Amino acid sequence: MIFVLDEISFRNLLHQWLNSYKIFVPEIFDGQKVPNIAILNKEKLERFSLSVFENIRVREPLKAIFSLPKEKVASFGNGEDLEEREKVLLVGAKVCDLRPLAVLKKMYLKEDFVFEEFKERLENTLIISADCPYPQDTCFCNLVGLKPYCEKDIDGVLPDLNLSFVDNKILVEVFTERGEELLKDKIGVRKEEADKEILERRREIRDNAYFTLKKINEKELKEDIKKKVLEGEKDFWDKNLESCVECFGCLYVCPTCFCFLLSDYKVEEHYERIKVWDTCYHPMYARVAGGLNPRAEFYKRGRNRFHCKFSNFYSDYNFYACSGCGRCFSVCMGKIDIRKILLSL
Protein backbone atom coordinates (compact mmCIF):
# COMPACT_ATOMS: atom_id res chain seq x y z
CA MET A 1 0.00 0.00 0.00
CA ILE A 2 1.30 3.46 -0.90
CA PHE A 3 -0.14 6.60 0.69
CA VAL A 4 0.22 10.26 -0.22
CA LEU A 5 0.79 12.76 2.61
CA ASP A 6 1.35 16.49 2.69
CA GLU A 7 4.17 18.05 4.72
CA ILE A 8 1.95 19.00 7.66
CA SER A 9 0.70 15.44 7.99
CA PHE A 10 4.21 14.03 7.92
CA ARG A 11 5.34 16.52 10.56
CA ASN A 12 2.41 15.43 12.71
CA LEU A 13 3.60 11.85 12.31
CA LEU A 14 7.12 12.75 13.41
CA HIS A 15 5.71 14.68 16.38
CA GLN A 16 3.67 11.69 17.56
CA TRP A 17 6.47 9.19 16.91
CA LEU A 18 8.66 11.23 19.24
CA ASN A 19 6.40 10.16 22.11
CA SER A 20 7.40 6.53 21.63
CA TYR A 21 10.78 6.42 19.89
CA LYS A 22 14.26 7.81 19.89
CA ILE A 23 14.38 9.12 16.31
CA PHE A 24 17.50 9.38 14.17
CA VAL A 25 17.29 11.66 11.11
CA PRO A 26 19.74 13.28 8.70
CA GLU A 27 20.59 16.88 9.53
CA ILE A 28 22.32 19.41 7.27
CA PHE A 29 23.80 22.82 7.99
CA ASP A 30 24.41 25.77 5.68
CA GLY A 31 27.09 25.03 3.12
CA GLN A 32 27.04 21.29 3.65
CA LYS A 33 26.43 18.95 0.75
CA VAL A 34 26.22 15.82 2.86
CA PRO A 35 24.12 15.57 6.05
CA ASN A 36 25.15 14.19 9.42
CA ILE A 37 23.12 11.82 11.55
CA ALA A 38 21.26 13.53 14.38
CA ILE A 39 18.72 12.79 17.10
CA LEU A 40 15.40 14.53 16.57
CA ASN A 41 13.54 16.24 19.39
CA LYS A 42 10.43 18.43 19.49
CA GLU A 43 12.40 21.67 19.54
CA LYS A 44 14.48 20.62 16.55
CA LEU A 45 11.36 19.43 14.71
CA GLU A 46 10.06 23.02 14.61
CA ARG A 47 12.86 24.07 12.25
CA PHE A 48 13.46 20.72 10.61
CA SER A 49 13.40 20.77 6.79
CA LEU A 50 12.01 17.64 5.17
CA SER A 51 14.09 18.35 2.06
CA VAL A 52 17.06 16.82 3.92
CA PHE A 53 15.63 13.39 3.14
CA GLU A 54 16.35 14.01 -0.56
CA ASN A 55 20.10 14.25 0.07
CA ILE A 56 22.44 11.28 -0.24
CA ARG A 57 23.25 9.10 2.77
CA VAL A 58 24.62 10.69 5.96
CA ARG A 59 28.37 11.00 6.56
CA GLU A 60 28.48 8.46 9.36
CA PRO A 61 27.94 4.75 8.80
CA LEU A 62 24.63 3.71 10.33
CA LYS A 63 26.29 0.59 11.78
CA ALA A 64 27.26 2.88 14.68
CA ILE A 65 23.61 2.76 15.81
CA PHE A 66 23.64 -1.04 15.96
CA SER A 67 27.25 -1.73 16.96
CA LEU A 68 28.85 1.11 18.90
CA PRO A 69 32.51 1.93 18.10
CA LYS A 70 33.34 1.12 21.74
CA GLU A 71 31.05 -0.54 24.23
CA LYS A 72 30.83 -2.92 27.16
CA VAL A 73 29.41 -6.22 25.99
CA ALA A 74 29.77 -8.28 29.16
CA SER A 75 30.43 -7.94 32.88
CA PHE A 76 31.67 -10.65 35.24
CA GLY A 77 31.49 -10.87 39.00
CA ASN A 78 29.02 -8.08 39.84
CA GLY A 79 25.66 -9.54 38.81
CA GLU A 80 24.96 -6.56 36.54
CA ASP A 81 21.81 -6.84 34.42
CA LEU A 82 21.77 -6.17 30.72
CA GLU A 83 20.85 -2.62 29.74
CA GLU A 84 17.23 -2.19 28.68
CA ARG A 85 17.05 -1.06 25.04
CA GLU A 86 14.94 1.92 23.99
CA LYS A 87 12.82 1.79 20.86
CA VAL A 88 14.51 3.48 17.93
CA LEU A 89 13.12 4.89 14.70
CA LEU A 90 15.66 5.39 11.93
CA VAL A 91 14.24 7.78 9.33
CA GLY A 92 15.83 8.48 5.96
CA ALA A 93 18.09 5.45 5.50
CA LYS A 94 19.22 4.94 1.91
CA VAL A 95 19.55 1.71 0.00
CA CYS A 96 23.31 1.96 0.49
CA ASP A 97 22.56 1.90 4.25
CA LEU A 98 20.36 -1.20 4.02
CA ARG A 99 22.83 -3.57 2.38
CA PRO A 100 25.36 -2.97 5.19
CA LEU A 101 22.73 -4.19 7.65
CA ALA A 102 22.40 -7.33 5.54
CA VAL A 103 26.18 -7.80 5.75
CA LEU A 104 26.18 -7.31 9.52
CA LYS A 105 23.30 -9.76 9.91
CA LYS A 106 25.30 -12.40 8.07
CA MET A 107 28.30 -11.82 10.31
CA TYR A 108 26.66 -11.19 13.68
CA LEU A 109 23.63 -13.50 13.62
CA LYS A 110 25.16 -16.81 12.66
CA GLU A 111 23.92 -20.07 14.17
CA ASP A 112 27.18 -20.56 16.08
CA PHE A 113 27.70 -16.89 17.01
CA VAL A 114 25.13 -14.25 17.93
CA PHE A 115 26.18 -10.72 18.78
CA GLU A 116 23.42 -10.12 21.34
CA GLU A 117 23.72 -6.33 21.54
CA PHE A 118 23.41 -6.05 17.75
CA LYS A 119 20.44 -8.44 17.71
CA GLU A 120 18.57 -6.51 20.39
CA ARG A 121 19.20 -3.14 18.77
CA LEU A 122 18.10 -4.45 15.37
CA GLU A 123 14.88 -5.85 16.84
CA ASN A 124 14.18 -2.58 18.66
CA THR A 125 14.70 -0.43 15.58
CA LEU A 126 12.13 0.43 12.96
CA ILE A 127 13.58 1.61 9.66
CA ILE A 128 12.05 4.15 7.30
CA SER A 129 14.07 4.33 4.11
CA ALA A 130 14.04 7.21 1.62
CA ASP A 131 14.65 7.43 -2.11
CA CYS A 132 17.92 9.03 -3.23
CA PRO A 133 16.92 11.26 -6.17
CA TYR A 134 20.16 13.23 -6.48
CA PRO A 135 23.23 10.93 -6.44
CA GLN A 136 26.62 12.63 -6.15
CA ASP A 137 29.90 11.89 -7.90
CA THR A 138 31.06 9.67 -5.04
CA CYS A 139 28.05 7.34 -5.36
CA PHE A 140 28.29 3.98 -7.14
CA CYS A 141 25.55 1.73 -5.76
CA ASN A 142 24.65 0.77 -9.36
CA LEU A 143 28.06 -0.91 -9.75
CA VAL A 144 27.33 -3.33 -6.91
CA GLY A 145 23.85 -4.32 -8.00
CA LEU A 146 21.71 -1.70 -6.23
CA LYS A 147 19.42 1.15 -7.27
CA PRO A 148 19.01 4.51 -5.52
CA TYR A 149 15.58 3.57 -4.19
CA CYS A 150 13.96 0.67 -2.38
CA GLU A 151 11.32 -1.48 -4.11
CA LYS A 152 11.74 -4.67 -2.09
CA ASP A 153 14.04 -6.19 0.51
CA ILE A 154 17.74 -5.50 0.06
CA ASP A 155 19.53 -8.82 0.50
CA GLY A 156 17.08 -9.79 3.22
CA VAL A 157 16.70 -6.39 4.90
CA LEU A 158 13.25 -4.85 4.43
CA PRO A 159 12.51 -1.36 5.77
CA ASP A 160 9.18 -0.88 7.52
CA LEU A 161 8.25 2.16 5.41
CA ASN A 162 9.79 3.96 2.43
CA LEU A 163 9.55 7.65 1.58
CA SER A 164 9.50 9.20 -1.89
CA PHE A 165 9.23 12.94 -2.41
CA VAL A 166 7.15 13.93 -5.43
CA ASP A 167 6.21 17.54 -6.22
CA ASN A 168 5.77 18.68 -2.60
CA LYS A 169 3.98 15.47 -1.69
CA ILE A 170 5.34 12.56 0.32
CA LEU A 171 4.65 9.02 -0.80
CA VAL A 172 4.78 6.56 2.08
CA GLU A 173 5.05 2.93 1.00
CA VAL A 174 4.21 0.33 3.63
CA PHE A 175 6.38 -2.79 3.62
CA THR A 176 5.72 -4.44 7.00
CA GLU A 177 3.10 -4.82 9.74
CA ARG A 178 5.29 -2.68 11.98
CA GLY A 179 5.12 -0.03 9.29
CA GLU A 180 1.32 -0.25 9.26
CA GLU A 181 1.28 0.29 13.02
CA LEU A 182 3.39 3.43 12.63
CA LEU A 183 0.62 5.00 10.55
CA LYS A 184 -2.34 3.70 12.53
CA ASP A 185 -4.67 6.03 14.46
CA LYS A 186 -2.50 9.14 14.19
CA ILE A 187 -4.04 12.55 14.87
CA GLY A 188 -3.91 15.23 12.17
CA VAL A 189 -2.60 12.93 9.47
CA ARG A 190 -4.40 13.06 6.16
CA LYS A 191 -3.40 10.22 3.88
CA GLU A 192 -4.79 9.17 0.52
CA GLU A 193 -3.99 6.14 -1.55
CA ALA A 194 -1.53 6.98 -4.33
CA ASP A 195 -3.07 7.13 -7.81
CA LYS A 196 -1.50 6.14 -11.13
CA GLU A 197 -0.51 9.70 -12.00
CA ILE A 198 1.64 10.31 -8.91
CA LEU A 199 3.12 6.82 -9.10
CA GLU A 200 4.14 7.49 -12.71
CA ARG A 201 5.75 10.75 -11.58
CA ARG A 202 7.66 8.82 -8.92
CA ARG A 203 8.80 6.40 -11.62
CA GLU A 204 10.19 9.30 -13.66
CA ILE A 205 12.12 10.68 -10.68
CA ARG A 206 13.53 7.25 -9.85
CA ASP A 207 14.53 6.62 -13.48
CA ASN A 208 16.30 9.98 -13.59
CA ALA A 209 18.23 9.15 -10.43
CA TYR A 210 19.35 5.81 -11.84
CA PHE A 211 20.24 7.44 -15.17
CA THR A 212 22.38 9.99 -13.28
CA LEU A 213 24.21 7.17 -11.53
CA LYS A 214 24.81 5.43 -14.85
CA LYS A 215 26.32 8.65 -16.21
CA ILE A 216 28.59 9.00 -13.17
CA ASN A 217 29.67 5.36 -13.44
CA GLU A 218 29.60 4.60 -17.16
CA LYS A 219 31.75 1.48 -17.01
CA GLU A 220 30.45 -1.59 -15.22
CA LEU A 221 32.47 -4.01 -13.15
CA LYS A 222 33.53 -7.18 -14.89
CA GLU A 223 31.16 -10.07 -14.27
CA ASP A 224 33.99 -12.17 -12.85
CA ILE A 225 35.26 -9.40 -10.55
CA LYS A 226 35.28 -11.83 -7.61
CA LYS A 227 37.96 -13.80 -9.45
CA LYS A 228 39.77 -10.74 -10.78
CA VAL A 229 40.47 -9.35 -7.30
CA LEU A 230 42.26 -12.59 -6.46
CA GLU A 231 44.55 -12.26 -9.47
CA GLY A 232 46.17 -8.90 -8.70
CA GLU A 233 49.90 -9.25 -7.99
CA LYS A 234 52.12 -7.24 -5.62
CA ASP A 235 52.98 -4.59 -8.23
CA PHE A 236 49.30 -3.95 -8.96
CA TRP A 237 48.40 -3.36 -5.30
CA ASP A 238 51.55 -1.35 -4.58
CA LYS A 239 50.75 0.99 -7.49
CA ASN A 240 47.07 1.45 -6.67
CA LEU A 241 47.57 1.91 -2.92
CA GLU A 242 50.77 3.94 -2.98
CA SER A 243 49.08 7.19 -1.85
CA CYS A 244 47.54 5.52 1.23
CA VAL A 245 48.79 7.05 4.49
CA GLU A 246 47.22 4.28 6.61
CA CYS A 247 44.87 6.58 8.51
CA PHE A 248 42.24 3.79 8.39
CA GLY A 249 39.52 6.39 7.71
CA CYS A 250 38.10 4.34 4.83
CA LEU A 251 37.53 1.38 7.13
CA TYR A 252 36.07 3.30 10.06
CA VAL A 253 33.45 4.96 7.82
CA CYS A 254 32.76 1.80 5.85
CA PRO A 255 29.22 0.65 6.77
CA THR A 256 29.97 -2.99 5.90
CA CYS A 257 33.23 -3.46 7.83
CA PHE A 258 32.34 -5.74 10.71
CA CYS A 259 35.59 -6.66 12.52
CA PHE A 260 36.01 -5.88 16.21
CA LEU A 261 38.38 -6.59 19.09
CA LEU A 262 37.45 -7.86 22.56
CA SER A 263 39.46 -7.06 25.69
CA ASP A 264 38.81 -7.79 29.37
CA TYR A 265 39.56 -5.17 32.06
CA LYS A 266 39.40 -5.31 35.82
CA VAL A 267 37.13 -2.58 37.22
CA GLU A 268 37.18 -2.43 41.02
CA GLU A 269 36.14 -5.98 42.08
CA HIS A 270 34.73 -7.19 38.78
CA TYR A 271 35.73 -7.53 35.13
CA GLU A 272 34.29 -5.91 32.04
CA ARG A 273 34.59 -7.05 28.43
CA ILE A 274 34.99 -4.13 26.00
CA LYS A 275 34.41 -4.31 22.27
CA VAL A 276 36.05 -1.81 19.87
CA TRP A 277 35.90 -1.62 16.09
CA ASP A 278 38.98 -3.11 14.44
CA THR A 279 40.48 -2.45 11.00
CA CYS A 280 42.23 -4.94 8.74
CA TYR A 281 44.68 -2.23 7.54
CA HIS A 282 46.25 -2.14 10.99
CA PRO A 283 49.73 -3.76 10.96
CA MET A 284 48.84 -5.89 14.00
CA TYR A 285 45.48 -7.04 12.65
CA ALA A 286 46.58 -10.52 11.52
CA ARG A 287 49.51 -11.03 13.92
CA VAL A 288 49.31 -14.28 15.89
CA ALA A 289 51.01 -15.62 19.02
CA GLY A 290 54.76 -15.82 18.59
CA GLY A 291 54.79 -12.72 16.39
CA LEU A 292 54.09 -14.34 13.02
CA ASN A 293 52.20 -11.94 10.78
CA PRO A 294 50.91 -13.21 7.41
CA ARG A 295 50.05 -9.65 6.34
CA ALA A 296 53.02 -7.69 7.61
CA GLU A 297 53.40 -5.89 4.25
CA PHE A 298 50.81 -3.21 3.49
CA TYR A 299 49.94 -4.43 -0.01
CA LYS A 300 48.75 -7.71 1.56
CA ARG A 301 46.48 -5.86 3.97
CA GLY A 302 45.14 -3.64 1.19
CA ARG A 303 44.54 -6.65 -1.03
CA ASN A 304 42.79 -8.45 1.80
CA ARG A 305 40.21 -5.66 2.01
CA PHE A 306 39.23 -6.25 -1.63
CA HIS A 307 39.30 -10.02 -1.22
CA CYS A 308 36.93 -9.73 1.74
CA LYS A 309 34.41 -7.38 0.15
CA PHE A 310 34.36 -8.53 -3.46
CA SER A 311 35.39 -12.19 -3.45
CA ASN A 312 35.09 -14.02 -0.14
CA PHE A 313 31.82 -12.48 0.99
CA TYR A 314 30.27 -12.78 -2.48
CA SER A 315 31.25 -16.45 -2.68
CA ASP A 316 29.55 -17.13 0.66
CA TYR A 317 26.41 -15.00 0.35
CA ASN A 318 26.00 -14.04 -3.33
CA PHE A 319 26.22 -10.27 -2.82
CA TYR A 320 29.11 -7.86 -2.31
CA ALA A 321 30.10 -6.56 1.11
CA CYS A 322 30.01 -3.09 -0.44
CA SER A 323 27.00 -0.84 -1.01
CA GLY A 324 28.61 1.82 -3.20
CA CYS A 325 27.98 4.57 -0.63
CA GLY A 326 31.30 6.26 -1.48
CA ARG A 327 32.19 7.12 2.11
CA CYS A 328 35.64 5.54 1.72
CA PHE A 329 36.56 7.86 -1.15
CA SER A 330 35.03 10.90 0.57
CA VAL A 331 37.34 10.63 3.59
CA CYS A 332 40.48 9.34 1.84
CA MET A 333 43.45 11.73 2.17
CA GLY A 334 45.23 9.82 -0.61
CA LYS A 335 42.21 10.17 -2.95
CA ILE A 336 42.10 6.45 -3.55
CA ASP A 337 38.94 5.62 -5.48
CA ILE A 338 37.85 2.03 -4.98
CA ARG A 339 36.00 2.18 -8.32
CA LYS A 340 39.16 2.88 -10.29
CA ILE A 341 40.92 -0.06 -8.70
CA LEU A 342 38.06 -2.43 -9.41
CA LEU A 343 37.66 -1.22 -12.99
CA SER A 344 41.38 -1.63 -13.68
CA LEU A 345 41.35 -5.31 -12.70
Side-chain angles (χ1 to χ4, degrees):
M1 183 69 74
I2 305 176
F3 295 106
V4 181
L5 277 67
D6 57 23
E7 179 172 340
I8 293 175
S9 292
F10 191 73
R11 285 184 177 280
N12 285 337
L13 275 177
L14 287 170
H15 193 275
Q16 290 168 77
W17 289 339
L18 278 170
N19 294 328
S20 305
Y21 298 94
K22 180 180 182 179
I23 301 180
F24 287 95
V25 292
E27 183 178 46
I28 201 161
F29 298 96
D30 290 343
Q32 277 188 321
K33 289 184 178 180
V34 180
N36 291 97
I37 191 74
I39 296 173
L40 188 67
N41 55 39
K42 291 185 178 179
E43 181 184 356
K44 191 176 289 185
L45 180 57
E46 296 297 320
R47 59 180 189 279
F48 185 72
S49 171
L50 299 186
S51 64
V52 73
F53 292 119
E54 298 184 84
N55 282 275
I56 66 169
R57 50 53 181 182
V58 293
R59 293 176 187 274
E60 306 87 347
L62 297 187
K63 68 180 180 183
I65 295 174
F66 302 92
S67 171
L68 306 185
K70 180 180 180 181
E71 62 179 321
K72 181 175 66 177
V73 294
S75 184
F76 310 99
N78 63 348
E80 186 175 289
D81 295 329
L82 289 174
E83 178 186 350
E84 186 176 348
R85 305 295 179 197
E86 55 189 333
K87 291 183 178 179
V88 171
L89 188 58
L90 177 57
V91 187
K94 303 297 179 178
V95 164
C96 62
D97 294 316
L98 299 180
R99 171 171 287 179
L101 287 179
V103 173
L104 298 184
K105 284 179 67 176
K106 295 294 185 187
M107 293 295 101
Y108 293 162
L109 301 180
K110 292 183 175 182
E111 290 183 0
D112 56 347
F113 168 73
V114 175
F115 180 2
E116 293 292 346
E117 284 75 12
F118 172 82
K119 181 173 180 286
E120 289 176 24
R121 290 184 183 117
L122 191 63
E123 291 174 348
N124 281 327
T125 301
L126 278 73
I127 300 175
I128 302 178
S129 58
D131 289 3
C132 191
Y134 306 113
Q136 294 188 7
D137 290 345
T138 53
C139 302
F140 60 97
C141 67
N142 62 311
L143 294 185
V144 291
L146 299 174
K147 295 178 179 178
Y149 48 84
C150 184
E151 295 176 303
K152 56 180 183 178
D153 75 284
I154 306 298
D155 307 311
V157 172
L158 185 64
D160 297 291
L161 300 173
N162 182 76
L163 308 178
S164 308
F165 292 80
V166 179
D167 303 331
N168 298 320
K169 297 291 184 181
I170 303 161
L171 272 63
V172 182
E173 187 163 6
V174 181
F175 284 130
T176 70
E177 290 184 3
R178 297 199 309 178
E180 286 182 22
E181 287 297 317
L182 280 174
L183 301 177
K184 193 175 179 181
D185 299 330
K186 293 296 185 291
I187 300 170
V189 177
R190 292 174 296 177
K191 61 180 192 290
E192 300 173 352
E193 190 171 343
D195 58 29
K196 289 184 178 179
E197 184 178 350
I198 199 165
L199 289 177
E200 179 58 31
R201 180 71 183 118
R202 183 178 76 162
R203 172 53 51 199
E204 292 175 5
I205 294 171
R206 287 181 163 185
D207 287 348
N208 285 337
Y210 191 63
F211 180 71
T212 300
L213 266 175
K214 298 277 283 184
K215 283 185 68 177
I216 295 170
N217 306 293
E218 292 181 341
K219 293 183 179 179
E220 296 185 356
L221 300 182
K222 294 182 176 69
E223 289 187 4
D224 59 346
I225 194 66
K226 71 173 186 176
K227 293 182 178 177
K228 290 290 184 184
V229 296
L230 299 176
E231 296 172 356
E233 299 293 341
K234 179 178 184 302
D235 290 346
F236 174 84
W237 296 108
D238 279 343
K239 178 183 176 184
N240 282 285
L241 299 173
E242 64 180 350
S243 62
C244 179
V245 298
E246 299 185 51
C247 69
F248 314 143
C250 57
L251 302 181
Y252 282 118
V253 299
C254 177
T256 66
C257 280
F258 48 79
C259 293
F260 59 78
L261 272 175
L262 292 174
S263 304
D264 290 347
Y265 298 92
K266 186 175 183 182
V267 180
E268 297 178 346
E269 297 305 315
H270 68 281
Y271 288 86
E272 294 182 351
R273 180 159 294 165
I274 305 298
K275 183 214 75 181
V276 295
W277 289 357
D278 198 6
T279 67
C280 58
Y281 273 11
H282 197 285
M284 298 297 106
Y285 177 83
R287 191 179 67 171
V288 297
L292 181 65
N293 191 343
R295 299 190 202 121
E297 297 161 281
F298 178 68
Y299 87 89
K300 292 181 179 177
R301 301 196 294 277
R303 182 180 62 185
N304 174 72
R305 175 187 172 207
F306 286 80
H307 286 183
C308 177
K309 294 184 179 302
F310 296 98
S311 184
N312 302 344
F313 194 91
Y314 191 92
S315 296
D316 288 343
Y317 302 110
N318 206 33
F319 60 93
Y320 300 115
C322 174
S323 64
C325 69
R327 289 182 177 93
C328 53
F329 179 57
S330 296
V331 303
C332 182
M333 290 189 284
K335 300 301 179 188
I336 296 174
D337 191 335
I338 194 172
R339 292 171 293 188
K340 290 182 178 178
I341 296 176
L342 292 169
L343 290 170
S344 64
L345 282 164

